[in-house]
Structures are given as structure tokens and as C-alpha cells.
Amino acid sequence: MNISQKIVSVRGKQIGGEQPCICTPVVGASMEQILLETEEICRKGPDIIEWRADFFKDICDTQKVLETALAIRKIAGEIPILFTVRSEKEGGNPIPLTETEKIQLLIEVCKRQVVDMIDYELLYEKELVSLRQVSKEYGIRMIMSYHNFSFTPQKEEIVQKMLKAESYGADIAKVAVMPTSPQDLLVLFHATQEARSQLSIPLITMSMGGLGVITRLAGWMFGSAVTFAVGQNSSAPGQIPIEDLKDAIRIVQKYMLSS
């Protein structure tokens, strides 16, 4: 693989190098469930832990969110923590927060520096700019994401989404799309490779659902810096267990290097 990549370092973990990072989601509803899930995930050795706070039943209580994030940090140690809140239309769990309230929660999380990274949708361009200013001020890395749960856009549109994320100051650009045919997987791989040659930041791409599993296994070959796997419970369609994902990547890399 001969793809030039800019590396983002988070707690010593390099995101964007030759070796793909594996991110596992925490999706518990209560603090107790979340901490038990985090302990189980940490035993499996992920590179990044994503707390999907839209599954948290007390998401409206900012103080409880901050306390839970700190408790996750104590368990995770030096494993980078990504904080994500997705609304239902972004493929997330239904939440009682307005977009303004969600932004305020993300701002507080950044100000308290209880996580290492946040993820926010490109869809909300106005909010994106103000949130980026806060995250940058407090040293929190920001992933800017585009999700399409209906279909896979044309290659040019996918590339443009990632370029737009970079133009807004993203540390990492992310695209997740829904394939309807094997051809869509090729579109995503080509878009990933082309975007990787144009962007100066790392990128993450994936096709969702069962058909898209191959992009989670082999996306790194085309330039995707992170792949998502199930630690205990899945947060998106098509995620596979971390043990299986590690084995698959190891096998592919073993025979790539030996040939």
C-alpha cells in the first residue's frame, strides 16, 4: 500500500498511519451498564473507545454525562475516548435533546476535557463552525461526519464531503454510506483512495450493513484510518466482533507482507 497519510496522534495512538485503528462502541443505557461494558471492551484491546451517549438514559443531565465520561476514563486509562451523540435521523438512538441542547452538551464535554475526541455531523454547518472553535480551544480532536443510510452517492460527492470536512477544520473526515449492490463498495473504495490523495487529514470511510462488511475489513488498504467493531454491543449495522476483525486484518497483512 502506497498511500501518503497525515497522522493525528491522540494519547500516543497514531490515527492515519499504515496500521488501521479499531474503534469499539459503548452503548449502555445506565452508568453501571456503561462501565461494565467499558471494562469488557478494554480487555479486548481496542485502539479507540467510542461512547455513544445517545443510548444513555440520563443524557439530559449534563453533570451525569460528565461524571460518566470521567468514570470511563478511569477504566480506559490511555485508550483514546471518542464522544458521539447521534440523533435518530443520523442513525442514532432517539434522544430528547434539541440540536442546540446537543451542541451545548458537546461544548461542556470539550471544556471539561473528559474525552479526547468528539464527532459531529456535516449536516449542521453553522453549528459545526462554533463547535470546532471550542473543541480546538480546549485541545479536543474533532471528527466531522457524513452519513447516508439510504444509498451510496457518486464517488465525486463522497470525495467532496470529505474535502468539505477538511475545509471546516476537521481533524478527521468520516463518511458512512449504505450500499445497495457490490458496485457501491467499489465506489466507496475508489472515493476513499482519491480523497486520501487529496486530503491533508486522516479519513474514515465505510459501507454499512451486511453487504458493507468488506469495507470494514479492507478499507484500510485504500486509506481509511479507523474501522469500527463490536466490543459487546453494536452501534451501527454491519459491525463485526473485534476479535474477528483483528484476526481478519492480521491474516491479510501477513500474506501481503510475505508476497
Side-chain angles (χ1 to χ4, degrees), residues 84-115:
T84 304
V85 182
R86 295 213 187 285
S87 66
E88 193 171 8
K89 66 181 177 181
E90 298 163 8
N93 202 45
I95 56 174
L97 299 178
T98 65
E99 200 59 36
T100 298
E101 290 169 337
K102 187 168 80 171
I103 285 286
Q104 285 303 313
L105 177 61
L106 286 162
I107 287 173
E108 284 302 311
V109 166
C110 288
K111 287 182 175 180
R112 300 296 184 90
Q113 298 178 308
V114 292
V115 301

Side-chain angles (χ1 to χ4, degrees), residues 6-61:
K6 180 178 178 181
I7 294 172
V8 167
S9 182
V10 182
R11 288 188 177 267
K13 177 63 64 177
Q14 293 189 333
I15 302 173
E18 292 290 322
Q19 187 66 26
C21 291
I22 297 177
C23 180
T24 54
V26 173
V27 295
S30 67
M31 185 174 181
E32 182 182 13
Q33 290 173 349
I34 287 166
L35 300 187
L36 287 172
E37 193 175 347
T38 303
E39 289 176 352
E40 175 63 23
I41 286 171
C42 286
R43 284 193 284 269
K44 298 178 180 181
D47 298 297
I48 302 166
I49 291 173
E50 180 185 34
W51 180 20
R52 281 289 303 274
D54 44 296
F55 288 89
F56 187 40
K57 66 180 182 180
D58 292 317
I59 192 171
C60 291
D61 189 328

Side-chain angles (χ1 to χ4, degrees), residues 88-156:
E88 193 171 8
K89 66 181 177 181
E90 298 163 8
N93 202 45
I95 56 174
L97 299 178
T98 65
E99 200 59 36
T100 298
E101 290 169 337
K102 187 168 80 171
I103 285 286
Q104 285 303 313
L105 177 61
L106 286 162
I107 287 173
E108 284 302 311
V109 166
C110 288
K111 287 182 175 180
R112 300 296 184 90
Q113 298 178 308
V114 292
V115 301
D116 304 294
M117 297 181 282
I118 59 170
D119 186 314
Y120 194 68
E121 285 286 326
L122 273 170
L123 175 65
Y124 306 104
E125 296 184 18
K126 181 180 177 181
E127 294 87 346
L128 199 66
V129 174
S130 59
L131 184 57
R132 168 74 277 205
Q133 291 174 343
V134 174
S135 69
K136 195 169 186 179
E137 180 181 353
Y138 289 92
I140 306 301
R141 298 289 193 176
M142 188 168 181
I143 298 173
M144 296 186 189
S145 297
Y146 165 75
H147 288 77
N148 190 318
F149 288 88
S150 300
F151 60 93
T152 298
Q154 294 296 312
K155 179 188 73 172
E156 292 75 16

Side-chain angles (χ1 to χ4, degrees), residues 53-247:
D54 44 296
F55 288 89
F56 187 40
K57 66 180 182 180
D58 292 317
I59 192 171
C60 291
D61 189 328
T62 300
Q63 189 57 39
K64 285 188 178 180
V65 171
L66 296 172
E67 289 173 0
T68 303
L70 282 170
I72 293 172
R73 164 59 62 217
K74 289 180 180 178
I75 296 170
E78 288 303 302
I79 299 173
I81 297 172
L82 167 63
F83 182 79
T84 304
V85 182
R86 295 213 187 285
S87 66
E88 193 171 8
K89 66 181 177 181
E90 298 163 8
N93 202 45
I95 56 174
L97 299 178
T98 65
E99 200 59 36
T100 298
E101 290 169 337
K102 187 168 80 171
I103 285 286
Q104 285 303 313
L105 177 61
L106 286 162
I107 287 173
E108 284 302 311
V109 166
C110 288
K111 287 182 175 180
R112 300 296 184 90
Q113 298 178 308
V114 292
V115 301
D116 304 294
M117 297 181 282
I118 59 170
D119 186 314
Y120 194 68
E121 285 286 326
L122 273 170
L123 175 65
Y124 306 104
E125 296 184 18
K126 181 180 177 181
E127 294 87 346
L128 199 66
V129 174
S130 59
L131 184 57
R132 168 74 277 205
Q133 291 174 343
V134 174
S135 69
K136 195 169 186 179
E137 180 181 353
Y138 289 92
I140 306 301
R141 298 289 193 176
M142 188 168 181
I143 298 173
M144 296 186 189
S145 297
Y146 165 75
H147 288 77
N148 190 318
F149 288 88
S150 300
F151 60 93
T152 298
Q154 294 296 312
K155 179 188 73 172
E156 292 75 16
E157 183 177 348
I158 295 174
V159 172
Q160 283 303 313
K161 294 294 184 184
M162 288 184 272
L163 289 169
K164 178 181 281 189
E166 182 180 44
S167 72
Y168 280 124
D171 292 296
I172 300 169
K174 178 184 172 187
V175 166
V177 294
M178 186 63 71
T180 58
S181 70
Q183 178 62 31
D184 284 342
L185 307 180
L186 295 177
V187 170
L188 183 75
F189 282 145
H190 287 152
T192 304
Q193 196 166 32
E194 184 171 319
R196 183 63 272 160
S197 69
Q198 295 186 41
L199 271 68
S200 61
I201 59 174
L203 57 90
I204 303 169
T205 63
M206 70 202 74
S207 288
M208 295 177 283
L211 186 58
V213 165
I214 188 63
T215 66
R216 298 180 185 274
L217 296 173
W220 55 273
M221 297 177 67
F222 298 85
S224 183
V226 178
T227 185
F228 289 74
V230 176
Q232 190 171 36
N233 297 296
S234 175
S235 64
Q239 289 180 0
I240 61 176
I242 186 172
E243 300 91 340
D244 292 344
L245 184 56
K246 282 186 172 184
D247 286 345

